[in-house]
Amino acid sequence: MTKLSVSTFFDFESGYSTLLDCIFEELPKNNCLLKPRSFSNSVGKYEKYFENAPSLKEDLDLLISPPCNELNFSNFIFFLNHHKKRIHFTMWESTRINDIFIEQMNNMRAVIVPNKWNKTNFEAQGCEVPIHVINLFVDTNIFNYQQPIVKNEFIFGTANKDPRKRLEDVVRCFNKAFPDKKDVKLRIKISPKESYDKTFTNNRIEVVKNSFTTEELKDWYSYNDCFVSCVSAEGWGLMQHESMACGRPVIAAKYAGLSEFMTEENSFCVNYKEVPAEGFWKAPAAKWSKYDEENLIETMRFAYNNPNTVEAKGIIASQDACKLNKEFFISNLLDVISKYK
């Protein structure tokens, strides 16, 4: 039996939560004894794992945490317990990060990232420990192919108010693409915690600000025809992946994490160029993508005018997306763990 401690450091709802859920649910089924550890007070729904945590001398510590791009108190986590066998599961959304993070990565036994883009960037910046690429997953028990819904309008879906997602750009491009069309709609899903005070003068743009169950989220994806994104970069792209699993292809730049599962056959890949990264993701010479606006607008119009092509891509999208499931992820994670325990 593998004795594994799981350390976490994040206090926001994100793909890291989905990753942590999967690890606590699935690894014990695969001969792993887990001891949860946390460097954050915001453990929330994970309290139950701490209540009956085993007392053990672990074989390995798995740190699940976003990187720190700024020199502040939160960096302390990367300086702790380097005498232990520690593997860090992380991801980043621009081509470079603060060099202090690379230094701390080199104190780990190994690093796990979800995409080859991260591996290439970290290695180019000086990471010398082994970096393993383990693709993330979609829960195919929930997100799986759904027949297109017959309706009198074509619907694009988009989501998330994070500045990196460029939600306002999606809205602007939608309005430019369809200034007069009445039978097309943009549905925006945001978290209840996100503020969004913009109002729209017509019913072609709908904002949903609810906490969805996974079944409700599946229904939201399934009522769309496409998922459109102007995101700068994704470490993975969970919503894009889930949309594709439901048979709703993605319109986006095939860049960073999205390049792990988007193809010309299963998606509408938008032209882009690399530009300097901004905000939290800014670092010396750091870059990310900027979609080509004209090409994005043309692609949205093409999808609207060619629903049969959208449906055909959706079938392929679901087949490809569902290959990256929990079982595949856990199998790859166990292979890496076995190398270092």
Side-chain angles (χ1 to χ4, degrees):
M1 174 171 288
T2 300
K3 299 176 181 179
L4 188 70
S5 60
V6 182
S7 303
T8 64
F9 187 76
F10 60 93
D11 56 3
F12 52 90
E13 191 69 22
S14 74
Y16 284 98
S17 300
T18 303
L19 172 59
L20 196 59
D21 286 342
C22 179
I23 285 172
F24 276 121
E25 290 169 6
E26 301 299 328
L27 284 188
K29 301 174 185 177
N30 289 271
N31 208 33
C32 288
L33 185 62
L34 301 187
K35 174 185 177 181
R37 302 171 71 240
S38 177
F39 295 97
S40 170
N41 290 326
S42 303
V43 292
K45 63 182 178 180
Y46 304 109
E47 290 280 1
K48 61 182 179 181
Y49 297 115
F50 287 82
E51 291 176 355
N52 300 307
S55 176
L56 58 83
K57 182 174 179 58
E58 61 267 28
D59 301 313
L60 189 67
D61 183 63
L62 179 61
L63 170 62
I64 300 172
S65 171
C68 296
N69 196 36
E70 299 174 353
L71 298 178
N72 56 40
F73 181 70
S74 62
N75 293 122
F76 87 96
I77 189 173
F78 298 110
F79 292 90
L80 295 178
N81 297 317
H82 289 312
H83 64 282
K84 292 190 174 187
K85 295 179 179 180
R86 172 168 284 175
I87 296 178
H88 189 186
F89 201 130
T90 192
M91 64 193 81
W92 187 241
E93 289 87 12
S94 70
T95 59
R96 287 183 63 86
I97 193 169
N98 191 302
D99 285 325
I100 190 67
F101 179 67
I102 299 297
E103 291 184 21
Q104 295 316 307
M105 288 175 70
N106 283 330
N107 287 327
M108 306 291 170
R109 292 293 301 275
V111 174
I112 299 173
V113 294
N115 64 73
K116 294 184 284 292
W117 182 75
N118 277 159
K119 174 179 168 67
T120 298
N121 292 333
F122 288 154
E123 288 177 340
Q125 198 170 341
C127 183
E128 298 172 349
V129 300
I131 300 179
H132 302 273
V133 176
I134 300 181
N135 288 159
L136 292 181
F137 56 87
V138 66
D139 186 346
T140 54
N141 291 320
I142 302 294
F143 303 102
N144 46 52
Y145 185 75
Q146 305 295 307
Q147 287 286 344
I149 296 171
V150 178
K151 48 191 181 295
N152 296 322
E153 54 194 358
F154 190 96
I155 297 180
F156 296 93
T158 195
N160 204 307
K161 193 65 174 54
D162 184 323
R164 179 169 51 87
K165 309 289 186 174
R166 296 194 180 112
L167 178 58
E168 296 299 333
D169 289 21
V170 177
V171 173
R172 185 183 69 251
C173 290
F174 172 81
N175 285 326
K176 285 186 176 182
F178 310 105
D180 303 313
K181 298 290 185 181
K182 303 299 183 183
D183 59 343
V184 62
K185 192 172 189 177
L186 176 66
R187 301 169 78 216
I188 302 172
K189 172 162 183 344
I190 61 174
S191 163
K193 297 179 181 178
E194 294 177 308
S195 61
Y196 195 68
D197 54 6
K198 185 168 182 177
T199 57
F200 300 99
T201 58
N202 61 63
N203 60 4
R204 298 194 315 152
I205 301 177
E206 171 189 289
V207 179
V208 178
K209 192 175 181 180
N210 297 329
S211 291
F212 282 1
T213 65
T214 51
E215 286 288 348
E216 289 170 338
L217 184 57
K218 178 187 72 174
D219 291 342
W220 183 84
Y221 288 126
S222 301
Y223 198 71
N224 301 331
D225 292 288
C226 281
F227 187 95
V228 59
S229 174
C230 291
V231 67
S232 305
E234 295 278 17
W236 181 248
L238 179 60
M239 294 196 76
Q240 292 92 334
H241 192 185
E242 290 173 344
S243 177
M244 289 173 62
C246 292
R248 306 306 183 259
V250 170
I251 299 175
K254 181 187 169 185
Y255 183 79
L258 295 179
S259 64
E260 295 292 320
F261 52 86
M262 283 181 65
T263 68
E264 294 290 344
E265 290 72 32
N266 66 27
S267 307
F268 295 95
C269 300
V270 175
N271 297 339
Y272 68 90
K273 62 181 179 180
E274 284 196 319
V275 298
E278 300 175 357
F280 179 72
W281 299 271
K282 184 178 180 180
K287 296 182 183 300
W288 59 15
S289 75
K290 176 64 186 296
Y291 65 95
D292 182 301
E293 180 173 307
E294 183 176 340
N295 183 240
L296 176 65
I297 290 171
E298 290 175 356
T299 304
M300 292 176 73
R301 288 172 177 162
F302 179 87
Y304 165 80
N305 287 315
N306 295 273
N308 290 337
T309 301
V310 173
E311 184 174 344
K313 279 185 181 285
I315 293 171
I316 301 171
S318 182
Q319 293 169 349
D320 291 348
C322 289
K323 293 175 184 176
L324 300 175
N325 54 33
K326 282 186 175 182
E327 293 76 19
F328 183 71
F329 167 77
I330 290 296
S331 175
N332 289 329
L333 180 59
L334 289 170
D335 284 345
V336 172
I337 289 172
S338 69
K339 297 178 188 297
Y340 298 97
K341 69 177 184 178

